[in-house]
Amino acid sequence: MELSKAVALILLSWFLLLHHFHHASAERSVYIVHTDKSSMPKAFSSHTYWYSSMLKSLKSVAQTSLEGQNSEPKIIYTYDNAFHGFSAVMTKAELQALKKSPGFISAYADDVVTPDTTHSYKFLSLNTATGLWPASNYGKDVIIGVIDTGIWPESPSFRDDGMTEIPARWKGICQEGEQFNSSSCNKKIIGARYFNEGFRAQLPDLSIGVNSARDVDGHGTHVASIAAGNFVDGVSFFGYAPGTARGVAPRARLAVYKVLWNGGVNSDILAGIDQAVADGVDIISISLGIRSSLLYENPLSIASFGAREKGIMVSLSAGNRGPSVRTIRSGIPWAVVVTSGTIDRWLAGTLTLGNGKVITGWTTFPARASVRNLPLVYNETLSECSSSELLSGAPEQSIIVCNLTIGNTDFSSAMNNLPESNVRAAILIAEEPPIFRSNLFPFPGVVITPTEAREVINYASRSSAPRATIDFQQTILGTEPRAAPALSDDASRGPARSYDGILKPDLMAPGVSILAAYYPHATGPRIGKNIFLSTDYTLISGTSMACPHVSGTAALLKAAHPEWSPAAIQSAMMTTANPLDNTNQPIKDMAFDYTAATPLGIGSGLVDPNRALDPGLIYDVSHQDLVNLVCSMNFTREQTQTIIRSSHNCSTPSADLNYPSFVALFSFAERGRTLTRRFQRTVTNVGDGAARYRVKLETPENTTVRIQPQTLVFQKKYEKKSYVLTIRYKADIETQNRDGSLTWIEENGKYRVRSPIMVSAGADNFD
């Protein structure tokens, strides 16, 4: 028996045992008890004796077990390092009696630890013991408005188990419509509206599928559950990534605004965002793209400016038009723009050759196919797998090697050809990044790299009777076979088309193969050509999936720091983001042979929720600062007022926004010249009391960077200090994109407040 299967059987046995323990013998369970150790009576020499005494006092309520034999509560573990307390077997009645004991704080039932599905929350280091989750009470009562395709309210991710009463400040409604009534909302989904008047006016002859907030696409449901889905046990994608699903902010509320109907128009999107602001949401999450890159014509730009004025943070997806530079259209300075990266989860098929060699390949074939000890066939003629006619020459009941790095056959074509053959499975040699984002795998097989393929081909060519086995539905976590995160190849890159004076994107978040709730009647993966499967939870990739991770993180920060402005929340996320992967190396770019990514791709780096809870310093921005920025953009009076409205004036235009990143541009006309750019920034001390910070610089290539002062000394919390950063650089097209960073480091090492620096060619170099 292979080691992996043996471990799986042990884990399965353990799970079944605990399941039996909790349910078949439900009268007596394991509880974890937290205590106040300072309440321990002096008569006890150690906490262990104290805990034992507590349990002995419960004898009067001890019950008889199901087997009819008397039993007593029993300590399993005592804890004195991570926290103070113990775990013990007891009945509910005994637990109720224990709660009256001096020093008792809290208790909860033990549970089985399993791998998690929306594993991205764990990849972001969110946990129940410390950090942002407990500090924010899991985002309790923060309201996230989702502008998308609506919601499937029956999904288990939107149950309101554990939710308290709806906040009195909420002004929204649950709008009734086709297949959607007021009972479709609850304490999790507290508002639902739909907007299609603009769409109907533009396309009066096109019928509306389901005229309500109900999602019959799946995208909005997926996004909403990533941001704030409730806890759901036993979720997987056909056996891959099994475990418990949950959103980033599982106790936050959801208000959904359906604005997409097999497409959408700007007027409906504006109406949805406008209503979300009126209803009283705290965060707006928008995972959709707009064709217009003009800030004064882009509804996302216009509406998000108004939302910021009301104290609402808006997060946007960067788009999936990469990997070319300048493919971000909605690079809106007053919104958080989010790009997508991989997580440390590999959906795998384990290939075992007859010589004992084991290779971990990629697969999402949605079944537990029987591919065991079958003949392995490698033939240069057949290996292109370019047609069903060609594959008809392959031996029956075999595993064939398809080399997709030669010829003109791509992955999709091979997957359409293979079901027409008589082979049982395939080993596909390929390395195109889109393959590793797809959940379409209709034929049993695994994808391996050309490097891994050498051993397979050597074995198949030299052995007299080569054989192989493939085990499906494997899920692997960690740094192998590739470090994470890596920037997704299709993610849009900066400089932004809408405005390149602010570095975009701002942040990276998990966005590749994210498992979350879905429209259950959608056509999902298939087996062969005619068997189409559906699922309540599915894997989707894109910046649409990355955006709600940041929306959920912002909701957690809002709950933990209700006094923070949207700019403060954004700054906290950006200055604590991680530019390194889980091997402590610079984040790589999937699109360019895994070379180091730049801030034009990843912004400040991977969002780190726990570090954002306590960032040390923040870069705050007032609404007037944003007005001054718009006033500096050389728009006409009407274009400017479209964004800022007539209640504001342009008396002090300034392009130097107090932003937690830096970008120094050069135009086509400036090529070959040496330029100087000066930035002034003000930081606010949000740490505890007095602090001293020193600067650390990573200077971009062919660039001189000077900062004054180099030390910031704060006497108290909320004190502000300013500094000036000057960049002198050559407008060199050969090295047009050069990056570095500025980091303020607290003298005791508690805080590292990092800002990326980017020297880049401006928009006119690309048009």
Side-chain angles (χ1 to χ4, degrees):
M1 179 183 296
E2 296 89 359
L3 179 61
S4 59
K5 293 187 70 180
V7 171
L9 286 173
I10 292 170
L11 290 174
L12 177 62
S13 301
W14 182 49
F15 175 81
L16 292 175
L17 177 64
L18 285 180
H19 185 273
H20 174 80
F21 183 79
H22 280 301
H23 297 279
S25 303
E27 286 192 25
R28 192 167 290 282
S29 300
V30 178
Y31 293 91
I32 298 173
V33 181
H34 291 254
T35 62
D36 177 6
K37 192 178 179 182
S38 66
S39 300
M40 184 178 72
K42 294 181 180 179
F44 296 105
S45 59
S46 74
H47 62 281
T48 301
Y49 290 117
W50 179 36
Y51 302 151
S52 298
S53 176
M54 284 184 181
L55 293 188
K56 287 179 181 178
S57 68
L58 304 179
K59 284 186 177 180
S60 60
V61 293
Q63 296 182 352
T64 302
S65 68
L66 292 179
E67 289 76 16
Q69 299 178 354
N70 188 49
S71 59
E72 297 179 355
K74 178 183 177 183
I75 287 180
I76 298 176
Y77 293 109
T78 61
Y79 309 101
D80 196 41
N81 296 292
F83 67 92
H84 296 137
F86 61 94
S87 57
V89 178
M90 66 183 88
T91 64
K92 288 185 178 179
E94 290 164 350
L95 177 62
Q96 288 301 117
L98 183 67
K99 291 180 179 179
K100 301 175 184 177
S101 301
F104 177 91
I105 296 177
S106 64
Y108 48 86
D110 198 4
D111 201 1
V112 177
V113 178
T114 62
D116 295 287
T117 55
T118 311
H119 172 71
S120 50
Y121 90 89
K122 191 170 184 181
F123 182 58
L124 297 178
S125 298
L126 288 166
N127 67 89
T128 59
T130 61
L132 188 50
W133 259 1
S136 67
N137 204 358
Y138 301 86
K140 181 177 180 289
D141 285 345
V142 176
I143 303 167
I144 303 175
V146 178
I147 314 295
D148 215 288
T149 64
I151 199 162
W152 188 261
E154 292 81 12
S155 170
S157 287
F158 307 125
R159 292 192 300 243
D160 59 4
D161 302 353
M163 304 293 292
T164 55
E165 292 301 316
I166 296 171
R169 62 186 173 87
W170 175 242
K171 302 174 185 176
I173 64 169
C174 189
Q175 183 181 5
E176 296 195 348
E178 187 178 352
Q179 300 178 33
F180 201 101
N181 54 43
S182 59
S183 63
S184 299
C185 295
N186 55 19
K187 296 175 184 177
K188 166 62 74 173
I189 307 171
I190 64 172
R193 297 180 187 258
Y194 58 99
F195 302 87
N196 56 31
E197 293 302 319
F199 186 75
R200 296 168 86 121
Q202 294 268 20
L203 301 165
D205 296 329
L206 190 66
S207 62
I208 297 292
V210 175
N211 194 28
S212 71
R214 179 170 292 279
D215 182 13
V216 291
D217 174 272
H219 189 271
T221 296
H222 202 268
V223 165
S225 65
I226 292 171
N230 212 333
F231 299 85
V232 184
D233 294 329
V235 174
S236 74
F237 178 76
F238 299 97
Y240 298 93
T244 300
R246 72 208 71 190
V248 176
R251 288 292 179 256
R253 317 283 180 166
L254 284 167
V256 296
Y257 301 84
K258 183 176 178 179
V259 299
L260 297 179
W261 312 80
N262 294 321
V265 295
N266 291 350
S267 57
D268 292 336
I269 294 168
L270 271 170
I273 301 172
D274 187 65
Q275 188 62 58
V277 173
D279 288 345
V281 303
D282 300 302
I283 310 292
I284 295 179
S285 187
I286 308 176
S287 290
L288 52 87
I290 301 295
R291 286 194 295 179
S292 174
S293 60
L294 299 173
L295 291 178
Y296 49 82
E297 291 183 357
N298 187 323
L300 304 182
S301 164
I302 297 164
S304 61
F305 191 92
R308 277 290 292 264
E309 185 177 13
K310 300 291 186 182
I312 300 168
M313 198 201 84
V314 178
S315 57
L316 299 173
S317 53
N320 306 312
R321 302 176 185 90
S324 298
V325 296
R326 204 170 175 257
T327 47
I328 293 177
R329 288 177 175 168
S330 295
I332 299 169
W334 40 89
V336 183
V337 177
V338 189
T339 193
S340 64
T342 61
I343 59 175
D344 63 337
R345 180 175 65 196
W346 190 257
L347 307 178
T350 303
L351 169 64
T352 305
L353 302 179
N355 60 6
K357 175 66 177 178
V358 178
I359 297 172
T360 301
W362 167 272
T363 186
T364 55
F365 179 70
R368 186 180 175 182
S370 177
V371 182
R372 307 202 62 77
N373 199 30
L374 297 179
L376 176 63
V377 176
Y378 174 72
N379 180 293
E380 289 188 6
T381 302
L382 296 176
S383 67
E384 289 190 37
C385 299
S386 56
S387 68
S388 55
E389 291 79 13
L390 180 67
L391 287 168
S392 64
E396 294 186 8
Q397 306 299 306
S398 63
I399 301 174
I400 190 170
V401 177
C402 294
N403 190 350
L404 306 185
T405 65
I406 61 175
N408 297 315
T409 307
D410 59 18
F411 178 76
S412 296
S413 298
M415 280 293 153
N416 286 327
N417 295 331
L418 285 163
E420 300 293 330
S421 71
N422 293 318
V423 302
R424 286 272 294 276
I427 300 168
L428 301 112
I429 306 169
E431 54 186 349
E432 291 79 9
I435 295 173
F436 305 102
R437 289 186 275 106
S438 171
N439 63 9
L440 182 64
F441 217 114
F443 189 78
V446 292
V447 179
I448 63 174
T449 67
T451 300
E452 294 165 331
R454 294 191 194 113
E455 188 152 2
V456 175
I457 293 172
N458 287 340
Y459 167 69
S461 302
R462 297 172 183 175
S463 174
S464 59
R467 306 185 79 83
T469 293
I470 303 174
D471 291 303
F472 297 93
Q473 298 177 328
Q474 310 287 304
T475 302
I476 298 171
L477 305 177
T479 59
E480 297 296 335
R482 287 176 177 161
L487 176 62
S488 182
D489 61 292
D490 65 336
S492 295
R493 318 299 169 95
R497 287 179 173 269
S498 51
Y499 181 72
D500 57 9
I502 299 290
L503 179 62
K504 295 289 175 174
D506 295 301
L507 289 163
M508 169 190 276
V512 177
S513 295
I514 303 301
L515 183 59
Y518 204 58
Y519 169 48
H521 305 306
T523 299
R526 61 182 169 89
I527 297 177
K529 291 192 173 181
N530 299 315
I531 302 174
F532 292 88
L533 307 176
S534 62
T535 176
D536 293 331
Y537 288 81
T538 196
L539 298 165
I540 309 182
S541 299
T543 58
S544 285
M545 285 63 251
C547 176
H549 281 90
V550 167
S551 305
T553 301
L556 297 176
L557 291 170
K558 180 73 174 178
H561 297 289
E563 75 284 3
W564 280 7
S565 67
I569 292 172
Q570 177 177 355
S571 172
M573 291 190 289
M574 289 178 64
T575 61
T576 59
N578 194 348
L580 306 179
D581 62 27
N582 56 0
T583 65
N584 211 34
Q585 297 298 311
I587 292 172
K588 304 302 191 297
D589 191 327
M590 294 175 66
F592 298 103
D593 198 26
Y594 287 85
T595 54
T598 76
L600 293 178
I602 66 171
S604 296
L606 180 71
V607 65
D608 188 335
N610 290 332
R611 287 194 61 215
L613 172 64
D614 187 17
L617 305 176
I618 58 170
Y619 295 77
D620 213 347
V621 174
S622 70
H623 193 70
Q624 185 60 48
D625 293 332
L626 294 176
V627 170
N628 295 343
L629 175 65
V630 177
C631 293
S632 74
M633 291 182 179
N634 200 30
F635 295 156
T636 67
R637 182 175 180 272
E638 292 74 18
Q639 291 166 348
T640 299
Q641 288 188 339
T642 299
I643 301 172
I644 69 173
R645 293 177 290 187
S646 58
S647 59
H648 302 285
N649 62 72
C650 284
S651 59
T652 54
S654 173
D656 194 14
L657 190 66
N658 194 43
Y659 212 74
S661 63
F662 303 89
V663 59
L665 301 171
F666 62 88
S667 67
F668 184 85
E670 293 171 324
R671 291 185 181 188
R673 294 169 52 188
T674 298
L675 307 174
T676 300
R677 177 75 192 275
R678 182 179 179 274
F679 304 85
Q680 181 169 328
R681 295 289 188 267
T682 299
V683 289
T684 304
N685 176 27
V686 293
D688 293 327
R692 177 187 292 267
Y693 286 80
R694 294 188 182 277
V695 72
K696 176 185 177 183
L697 288 171
E698 293 184 3
T699 304
E701 182 183 356
N702 294 336
T703 301
T704 301
V705 178
R706 184 165 51 89
I707 186 165
Q708 189 64 35
Q710 296 186 4
T711 302
L712 300 178
V713 180
F714 299 89
Q715 302 299 328
K716 58 185 179 180
K717 190 172 185 177
Y718 300 126
E719 185 178 359
K720 298 178 184 294
K721 293 289 182 181
S722 297
Y723 67 90
V724 174
L725 175 72
T726 304
I727 303 178
R728 187 173 173 81
Y729 57 102
K730 186 177 181 181
D732 182 359
I733 194 63
E734 282 71 32
T735 54
Q736 58 179 296
N737 296 321
R738 293 159 272 169
D739 64 287
S741 65
L742 175 156
T743 306
W744 289 104
I745 303 174
E746 193 268 333
E747 63 180 353
N748 296 315
K750 181 177 181 181
Y751 300 112
R752 296 178 63 88
V753 186
R754 181 182 180 275
S755 295
I757 299 172
M758 193 75 214
V759 176
S760 177
D764 64 346
N765 284 275
F766 302 104
D767 292 335

